Amino acid sequence: MDNVIELTRLWNIIKRSFVWMVVLGIIGGGAAFAVAKFALTPKYSSAVAMLVNRKSSDNATAVQYADQQADVAMINTYKDIITKPVILNKVANKLTKPHKVLVKKAVPAKTKREWSTSKLQYETVTVKKAQPAQYKLERAKYDAGSISAGMLAGEITVTNETNSQVFTVTVTDTNASRAKNIANAIATVFKDNIAKMMSVKNLSVVSKATTNNSAVSPNKKIIVLAGLVLGVMIAFIWGTIRELTDRAVKSVEFLTDDLGLINLGMVQYIGKVDKSGHHDHTKNAPATGSREGRTRRSTRRV
């Protein structure tokens, strides 16, 4: 038998498997939703934007443009440094260990020069004493060992638009609040350390990270759609296999054209006769041996 599926056979497969396609599609979609809802861990993202812009005292347009292009080129270097352990180790320590936080900056002493009549010379007199910087000890936000440089490297994505002096650090984590804290800690640590590492002060935070309670993954709609399509495809493939492996004779043309047999005539299949002498037509079956038995009256080869 020729196993090439024609359009008519394809349509028959779809009609015969339609119920199973609907059932397995619903089951597949429901199973996919359950996996996305209960089995997969949701992830949240938070982003902090930073601006690279050096302060120039020269008002010349050419100089300002050159400085701007230099800042844009510098972003690629910043993107490499911000994902390295030299920064991420300090970020992990900031979040998992107690550390001092500057509350008030140090104030230098104020002095003035006065004439001393006793010494007959000018001397420096302190008008206001210097005030030291004030710090407070901030507790660790997370347990020691819960955040590491390796973990942070896998959660960070640094992006920027072409010819833009702003670059964005996006952190994706299983906890929305922790994603925000990590992003802000990266911005703070990087800003403080890059000035010492490269002897430049051209970095500022444009917008701090905020808590985003909307999960970015998994995408439940896509997963449910994939489960639905998978269920329908399984039912369709199963129906196709049944059609291709069905060896029943379904038409007279197969006997005459493919097998080369001679059609001697057609005999109606009457069925059994019950005790009352009536014919039982409800038990009629196709004489060709088709398993579907879709018609009550069929023909048998003589």
Side-chain angles (χ1 to χ4, degrees), residues 15-238:
K15 289 194 298 183
R16 295 169 188 169
S17 305
F18 181 76
V19 175
W20 280 108
M21 291 170 68
V22 173
V23 172
L24 291 183
I26 295 174
I27 293 175
F33 177 79
V35 170
K37 182 70 174 179
F38 303 105
L40 300 180
T41 303
K43 292 186 177 182
Y44 307 87
S45 67
S46 189
V48 58
M50 307 187 74
L51 172 67
V52 181
N53 185 27
R54 71 185 67 194
K55 296 179 180 180
S56 177
S57 58
D58 197 331
N59 294 326
T61 304
V63 174
Q64 291 180 353
Y65 179 77
D67 290 343
Q68 182 181 4
Q69 294 303 309
D71 291 335
V72 172
M74 189 70 70
I75 290 180
N76 292 326
T77 303
Y78 288 171
K79 290 167 64 176
D80 290 335
I81 296 176
I82 204 170
T83 57
K84 294 297 185 290
V86 65
I87 299 296
L88 299 184
N89 282 328
K90 294 179 179 180
V91 173
N93 292 334
K94 180 180 177 65
L95 294 172
T96 59
K97 295 180 180 179
H99 56 279
K100 293 191 299 181
V101 178
L102 180 63
V103 177
K104 187 177 181 181
K105 294 182 178 180
V107 178
K110 290 185 178 181
T111 60
K112 67 178 181 178
R113 300 280 292 175
E114 290 185 351
W115 175 260
S116 175
T117 55
S118 60
K119 298 180 180 180
L120 299 178
Q121 63 180 7
Y122 284 98
E123 60 180 11
T124 303
V125 179
T126 302
V127 177
K128 187 176 182 180
K129 294 183 179 181
Q131 297 180 0
Q134 297 180 6
Y135 296 88
K136 71 174 183 178
L137 186 64
E138 187 173 288
R139 298 174 58 185
K141 293 183 178 180
Y142 303 98
D143 296 334
S146 61
I147 298 176
S148 64
M151 185 196 79
L152 294 176
E155 294 185 346
I156 296 174
T157 303
V158 184
T159 58
N160 75 297
E161 299 293 335
T162 304
N163 295 327
S164 174
Q165 293 176 257
V166 177
F167 67 97
T168 304
V169 180
T170 304
V171 177
T172 303
D173 192 81
T174 55
N175 184 282
S177 178
R178 185 167 61 183
K180 178 202 70 173
N181 292 331
I182 291 174
N184 288 329
I186 290 174
T188 301
V189 172
F190 183 69
K191 180 182 176 181
D192 294 341
N193 286 268
I194 199 64
K196 301 175 183 178
M197 295 171 62
M198 303 187 67
S199 300
V200 292
K201 294 183 178 180
N202 63 343
L203 191 65
S204 58
V205 178
V206 177
S207 63
K208 291 185 177 182
T210 57
T211 303
N212 182 12
N213 292 317
S214 300
V216 295
S217 69
N219 192 328
K220 296 179 182 178
K221 294 181 179 179
I222 298 297
I223 294 177
V224 171
L225 180 61
L228 178 64
V229 172
L230 180 61
V232 172
M233 290 301 298
I234 290 175
F236 178 77
I237 293 173
W238 179 57

